[in-house]
Amino acid sequence: MSFEFVFDKLNNYRNCINKEWVLTNGIGGYAGSTIIGAHSRTHQGYLIASLHPPVERYLVFSKTNERLVCSSRIYDLTTAQHKGPYTSEFNQGNMHLKSFKYDGNITFVYEAGGMRLTKTISLVQGKNQCTIAYTLENNGPAAGVVITPLMNYRDHGEHMTVEDLRWELPEEVFKEYRNEEVGNVGFYYTPVSNSKVRVSLIAAGCEMVKRNNIYDENMELQFELDNEADGLDCHLKPYDFVMEVDAGGVAKSSFVCTVEINDSKGKKKETWKPFPVIEKDTAFIEVEKNKKRIEELIEKAGFEEDDELAQILTVAADQFIVDRKSTGRKTIIAGYPWFTDWGRDTMISFTGLCLETGRFEDAKSILLSFAQYIKNGLVPNMFPDGGQEPLYNTADASLWYFYAVYNYLKYVDTDEAWKFVEDEIYPGLQEIMGAYRKGTLFSIGMDDDALMRAGGGLDQVTWMDVRIGDEVVTPRHGKPVEINALWYNALMTMEEISRGIARRTHNKPENYLAYAGGCSQLAIWVKEAFNSEFWYEEGGYLYDVVDDESKDATLRPNQIFAVSLPFTMLDPEKEKSVVRVVKDRLYVGVGLRSLDASDEQYHGIYQGALEKRDHAYHQGTAWGFLLGAFIEAYLKTGGHSAQTIEEAKAMFEPVEKHLVEGCIGTISEIFDGDEPHTARGCYAQAWSVGEVLRAYALLKE
């Protein structure tokens, strides 16, 4: 699994500034920038550390700038843009950039003045630690490279001014570290606002020199400017590191940036661990460890050796599976760079990310994580980035939980797996069932016709959940189509799981059989009411929302789940009609539009200030995760015929093209509804990757 761009694809600053990369560390931290080395958004840097995994994410290490020096010649490799007095000013070090490579690590190769500088960035798994391996090859006289790290301490979604930095990181907080015995130099600091954090940057194979000009001021971030934000940021650069190379020689150095958190309680004196000893090859070793880890992930997933797309998506899937400190278990980050772990997104992406990649223990851990937080029959909607209590304003996360459990047992059909579900998961499923039947928070509950209603007032309980102040942009209060498709699927799933446990248990199997019977009868009523209420004969598709007073015939993609879920209610001809309408009017290659383009409320471009984007979010924007359900429904209604499979294969071509256009090697959250369907939103989205991988695997069945 490798992506590489060479000089002629890197020398145009404007064309490359939107091509991004991301690395993750398995605990919510990440690194990211663009393929030319210039930052384009606030959420970019070489180390965004998670202080309370997987949340509380702070930028500590922004990037490094390099200058090659040979005699009197200086070749500045810095690639960035800054606000000038009249217009933007550009450093175009990318003109010396010969190649960019992503293979689980990030490698830049520069050439100038007879020198070749290779810079490889890697994140250490399970730690807030970034390493950079430098190799300087010299074909001329004695020379060197000056490496300037840019440091910070801010929330990953904020920005800094010089005044902010002077308060948070005054010059006196920076302490030098020199260990001549092992040849290590570096510095460390503790931010004013958080005495529990220590950031260190230690290097081997070079010398360190204190700088006079320590502020990198007014870095312009093009992504933020495009969205009508300030788009300015500032960083600190207190030291330069100098690596020298002999004539015709080769020199190496390693940099390690580490964030430590001291959790000392009460009056106990704060103590810090000794700084790690860095060798010249330390970063190179970490790079090789990461490559080996990538190989193991691909091998574990079990796809064919020549199946490049499956391998790419397997590696992309890994980026979202992280540790949650509060549970001591695994969870799924919904999207990079700004989302945390969301219940809905986790359950939808679960099958592709965990089960298709053979990560069954992680799957088990994730089910337990969310079972621990079920409250009033609701699975959490989201865990805030600040570490507060989870939010529960969702009607579908709990129903998607049934889908995840069903697939877990489908993929891991062992006595041990069934026993795990019986003991650890089944009680939570019963709690959800009871709450949904009786009614719970946010007006979620079963109506007299056995269909599920949800939401009221300013509630945001389905995935189309944007609200601007007191304006609910896409109000779907009543009985949404996908909620009721999920409700039926949950009832049938509960029946099947109950019968499965009854066959295996010695603990009153009759109780499980009785519960199964009750679910089966209720499902019959739901199916009858659904077919009566939701079929829109004139359009040949399903109403999006029904309630006592009206039926919403707005053409949206939510109805696709009424065809794709394991248990569905429509007859085959109606299913074919739904898929045909969705394909003709909502499918755009990289996803499904959230609204028909002929609708007067349609917004085809997702860009501009937040309010503009919020109005477009579910009013025409195409969503990548919907491809999974759509392709599954397409295969189902086509009878999995050879022709249908070939047509479905062709549907992955736009996705493959996207893998080298947005964030390299992964799939974005959303896309413009209008051509050319530019990638927007989170540059890496869990359910986009998970659902595309799951759908791709269906072709192999």
Side-chain angles (χ1 to χ4, degrees):
M1 192 286 300
S2 179
F3 293 86
E4 187 164 7
F5 296 80
V6 294
F7 175 73
D8 63 346
K9 301 294 184 183
L10 298 166
N11 58 12
N12 188 309
Y13 188 102
R14 290 293 187 187
N15 288 349
C16 294
I17 195 65
N18 293 319
K19 288 183 170 65
E20 303 181 66
W21 57 264
V22 65
L23 302 176
T24 62
N25 66 4
I27 57 173
Y30 64 96
S33 187
T34 67
I35 66 170
I36 55 174
H39 288 345
S40 65
R41 64 167 89 214
T42 307
H43 298 84
Q44 285 182 340
Y46 288 0
L47 181 55
I48 291 95
S50 176
L51 306 185
H52 191 81
V55 295
E56 293 183 41
R57 290 170 287 183
Y58 278 73
L59 171 70
V60 296
F61 181 18
S62 178
K63 63 182 298 195
T64 55
N65 293 330
E66 295 82 22
R67 302 187 303 283
L68 294 173
V69 181
C70 181
S71 299
S72 61
R73 295 293 304 273
I74 298 176
Y75 303 91
D76 192 352
L77 308 184
T78 302
T79 310
Q81 71 186 72
H82 289 80
K83 181 181 180 181
Y86 304 107
T87 186
S88 298
E89 297 176 349
F90 295 85
N91 298 96
Q92 298 199 53
N94 59 302
M95 298 306 292
H96 300 297
L97 182 57
K98 296 304 174 184
S99 70
F100 164 88
K101 185 177 182 180
Y102 165 62
D103 59 0
N105 302 298
I106 297 297
T107 300
F108 296 94
V109 178
Y110 298 89
E111 291 182 2
M115 291 172 283
R116 180 183 178 92
L117 181 69
T118 302
K119 167 185 175 181
T120 302
I121 305 163
S122 185
L123 291 188
V124 178
Q125 292 299 302
K127 293 182 180 180
N128 287 310
Q129 190 172 77
C130 170
T131 69
I132 307 179
Y134 282 102
T135 303
L136 181 57
E137 302 168 77
N138 185 20
N139 293 318
V145 59
V146 179
I147 301 164
T148 307
L150 276 60
M151 312 306 294
N152 216 313
Y153 184 79
R154 62 162 172 79
D155 182 279
H156 67 149
E158 301 295 331
H159 65 271
M160 279 292 206
T161 65
V162 170
E163 289 71 27
D164 294 332
L165 286 170
R166 283 178 177 146
W167 180 85
E168 182 68 82
L169 298 175
E171 286 189 61
E172 56 267 23
V173 306
F174 287 88
K175 309 295 183 185
E176 292 187 8
Y177 172 77
R178 297 182 186 274
N179 188 332
E180 294 181 3
E181 183 179 344
V182 295
N184 286 179
V185 294
F187 58 86
Y188 60 97
Y189 59 94
T190 292
V192 170
S193 65
N194 193 344
S195 63
K196 300 290 186 181
V197 169
R198 185 179 74 176
V199 181
S200 62
L201 183 69
I202 313 295
C206 51
E207 295 298 326
M208 184 176 73
V209 181
K210 189 172 177 63
R211 291 175 55 89
N212 292 321
N213 175 18
I214 67 168
Y215 294 105
D216 185 278
E217 298 186 51
N218 294 327
M219 180 188 290
E220 275 190 338
L221 305 171
Q222 192 59 50
F223 175 86
E224 312 297 341
L225 296 176
D226 290 342
N227 286 295
E228 301 176 21
D230 187 314
L232 295 179
D233 203 7
C234 296
H235 305 284
L236 272 163
K237 43 185 183 180
Y239 295 92
D240 284 334
F241 293 79
V242 181
M243 180 170 68
E244 297 179 340
V245 61
D246 295 331
V250 177
K252 291 186 176 182
S253 67
S254 285
F255 284 70
V256 178
C257 181
T258 308
V259 176
E260 297 171 84
I261 295 116
N262 191 313
D263 289 327
S264 301
K265 304 293 183 181
K267 296 182 179 180
K268 185 178 178 181
K269 185 178 179 180
E270 293 179 357
T271 57
W272 299 101
K273 296 179 182 177
F275 292 111
V277 174
I278 309 301
E279 306 287 345
K280 286 185 181 180
D281 61 351
T282 295
F284 295 86
I285 292 171
E286 292 299 333
V287 168
E288 292 306 313
K289 282 183 182 177
N290 212 26
K291 287 181 180 179
K292 184 178 180 181
R293 182 175 172 276
I294 294 297
E295 291 172 359
E296 291 172 350
L297 287 172
I298 292 171
E299 183 179 352
K300 188 172 187 176
F303 291 104
E304 295 176 5
E305 289 185 9
D306 60 349
D307 195 336
E308 188 175 11
L309 180 57
Q311 292 182 14
I312 291 167
L313 294 176
T314 295
V315 176
D318 173 67
Q319 296 178 331
F320 304 100
I321 302 172
V322 301
D323 295 329
R324 169 161 275 284
K325 186 176 181 180
S326 64
T327 62
R329 299 191 177 97
K330 296 290 185 180
T331 187
I332 290 175
I333 287 287
Y336 293 99
W338 50 73
F339 285 147
T340 61
D341 38 348
W342 292 59
R344 174 190 301 119
D345 299 55
T346 295
M347 300 311 148
I348 292 175
S349 61
F350 174 87
T351 303
L353 300 188
C354 299
L355 302 180
E356 286 296 350
T357 58
R359 300 177 67 154
F360 302 136
E361 285 303 310
D362 289 340
K364 183 177 175 181
S365 183
I366 289 164
L367 291 178
L368 280 169
S369 280
F370 281 84
Q372 182 175 331
Y373 280 96
I374 292 173
K375 183 177 180 181
N376 298 312
L378 298 176
V379 166
N381 183 30
M382 69 166 291
F383 292 87
D385 203 10
Q388 302 95 333
E389 286 297 305
L391 305 178
Y392 287 87
N393 56 320
T394 170
D396 52 347
S398 299
L399 301 177
W400 280 114
Y401 190 66
F402 284 85
Y403 174 78
V405 175
Y406 174 86
N407 281 339
Y408 173 75
L409 290 172
K410 176 182 172 184
Y411 283 73
V412 195
D413 188 9
T414 64
D415 288 342
E416 182 184 359
W418 279 92
K419 182 63 175 172
F420 159 69
V421 169
E422 178 184 0
D423 293 344
E424 305 289 346
I425 305 301
Y426 192 83
L429 299 181
Q430 286 185 303
E431 180 183 342
I432 295 169
M433 275 289 166
Y436 271 58
R437 291 184 66 171
K438 295 176 183 177
T440 184
L441 304 175
F442 305 104
S443 304
I444 299 167
M446 189 175 71
D447 213 340
D448 292 340
D449 58 4
L451 293 175
M452 190 59 55
R453 66 181 186 277
L458 298 178
D459 291 340
Q460 305 157 270
V461 294
T462 75
W463 76 277
M464 290 188 162
D465 58 358
V466 168
R467 193 178 91 192
I468 305 172
D470 290 339
E471 177 191 3
V472 180
V473 179
T474 47
R476 303 184 70 234
H477 304 142
K479 300 171 185 176
V481 64
E482 81 280 11
I483 300 299
N484 282 280
L486 285 162
W487 172 230
Y488 177 80
N489 184 74
L491 287 166
M492 295 298 291
T493 295
M494 198 61 173
E495 178 192 359
E496 183 157 315
I497 291 176
S498 298
R499 294 190 188 282
I501 293 174
R503 288 193 296 270
R504 292 168 171 82
T505 188
H506 300 290
N507 182 24
K508 297 184 178 180
E510 64 275 10
N511 290 351
Y512 291 102
L513 290 172
Y515 200 93
C519 291
S520 177
Q521 182 57 58
L522 187 52
I524 292 171
W525 296 336
V526 172
K527 182 175 182 177
E528 180 180 350
F530 185 88
N531 277 278
S532 172
E533 294 295 318
F534 277 94
W535 184 248
Y536 177 42
E537 183 66 37
E538 183 179 342
Y541 58 88
L542 295 169
Y543 289 110
D544 190 56
V545 182
V546 302
D547 60 28
D548 296 335
E549 299 176 357
S550 64
K551 296 185 177 184
D552 182 3
T554 303
L555 179 58
R556 295 191 182 277
N558 303 298
Q559 61 191 293
I560 200 66
F561 297 113
V563 183
S564 68
L565 286 167
F567 302 99
T568 56
M569 298 173 278
L570 299 176
D571 64 49
E573 289 307 310
K574 287 180 179 177
E575 288 187 334
K576 288 179 181 179
S577 182
V578 166
V579 172
R580 183 168 55 250
V581 171
V582 169
K583 184 176 187 299
D584 291 345
R585 296 168 63 181
L586 299 178
Y587 172 69
V588 296
V590 286
L592 300 185
R593 288 191 184 106
S594 47
L595 182 65
D596 182 13
S598 66
D599 195 289
E600 62 181 13
Q601 297 297 319
Y602 174 78
H603 288 68
I605 304 293
Y606 180 86
Q607 194 174 33
L610 180 60
E611 185 172 340
K612 292 180 183 178
R613 284 179 280 142
D614 280 348
H615 276 104
Y617 205 40
H618 298 301
Q619 299 286 51
T621 296
W623 289 74
F625 87 97
L626 294 169
L627 274 180
F630 172 71
I631 292 173
E632 182 169 22
Y634 191 85
L635 288 167
K636 176 184 177 183
T637 55
H640 291 267
S641 67
Q643 179 181 341
T644 304
I645 291 172
E646 286 304 309
E647 291 169 351
K649 283 182 180 178
M651 294 177 182
F652 291 93
E653 292 175 6
V655 175
E656 292 183 79
K657 184 179 178 182
H658 168 64
L659 291 172
V660 295
E661 290 183 337
C663 185
I664 307 305
T666 190
I667 305 175
S668 298
E669 174 192 10
I670 53 177
F671 304 83
D672 286 342
D674 288 353
E675 291 184 353
H677 310 302
T678 302
R680 307 288 188 185
C682 280
Y683 52 62
Q685 190 79 358
W687 62 7
S688 297
V689 172
E691 279 295 271
V692 169
L693 180 54
R694 184 184 67 82
Y696 184 67
L698 292 173
L699 300 177
K700 314 293 183 181
E701 294 181 0

